[in-house]
């Protein structure tokens, strides 16, 4: 695997937004927006010599929703997988 190019603060913003969007899109392909009462995606990054990304998804579903809490973990996995592809396509040398 090739190394990441040197990332600017703008690159890090783009990467963070992409990751959060990937998680959000995954969730709302699985669950109607009407079933979600509260939703938040936190993307934390540490970038010195390498990029470390942590994603947390918090969802509160309507009582009538059949969706389970496992969708948050699935969204994190999906977002990190998509992030790997995004980095390969845009930021690897």
């Amino acid at each position: 695997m090739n190394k990441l190019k040197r990332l600017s603060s703008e690159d890090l913003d783009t990467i963070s937004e992409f990751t959060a969007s990937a998680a959000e899109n995954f969730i709302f392909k699985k669950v109607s927006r009407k079933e979600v009462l509260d939703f938040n995606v936190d993307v934390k990054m540490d970038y010195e010599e390498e990029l470390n990304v942590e994603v947390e998804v918090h969802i509160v579903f309507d009582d009538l929703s059949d969706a389970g809490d496992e969708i948050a973990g699935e969204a994190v996995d999906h977002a990190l997988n998509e992030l790997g592809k995004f980095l390969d396509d845009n930021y690897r040398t």
Side-chain angles (χ1 to χ4, degrees):
M1 183 183 309
N2 296 335
K3 291 183 91 172
L4 282 176
K5 72 173 192 165
R6 187 80 188 142
L7 300 174
S8 68
S9 60
E10 291 82 16
D11 293 334
L12 294 173
D13 288 343
T14 300
I15 291 166
S16 178
E17 289 171 14
F18 175 86
T19 306
S21 184
E24 182 176 352
N25 291 339
F26 176 86
I27 289 166
F28 291 118
K29 284 183 181 176
K30 302 275 184 188
V31 179
S32 167
R33 288 187 183 271
K34 294 179 201 175
E35 295 180 50
V36 177
L37 298 177
D38 191 22
F39 170 75
N40 188 40
V41 178
D42 292 323
V43 178
K44 296 177 185 168
M45 293 189 290
D46 177 37
Y47 178 64
E48 290 182 25
E49 292 189 24
E50 63 180 40
L51 178 65
N52 295 303
V53 179
E54 182 180 318
V55 180
E56 292 181 13
V57 175
H58 307 279
I59 310 170
V60 177
F61 294 105
D62 182 274
D63 289 339
L64 300 176
S65 175
D66 291 332
D69 293 333
E70 69 278 354
I71 196 168
E74 293 170 2
V76 168
D77 292 342
H78 174 78
L80 291 173
N81 186 42
E82 291 300 307
L83 174 59
K85 295 175 193 175
F86 182 73
L87 292 174
D88 287 346
D89 291 345
N90 297 286
Y91 296 101
R92 297 233 184 251
T93 59

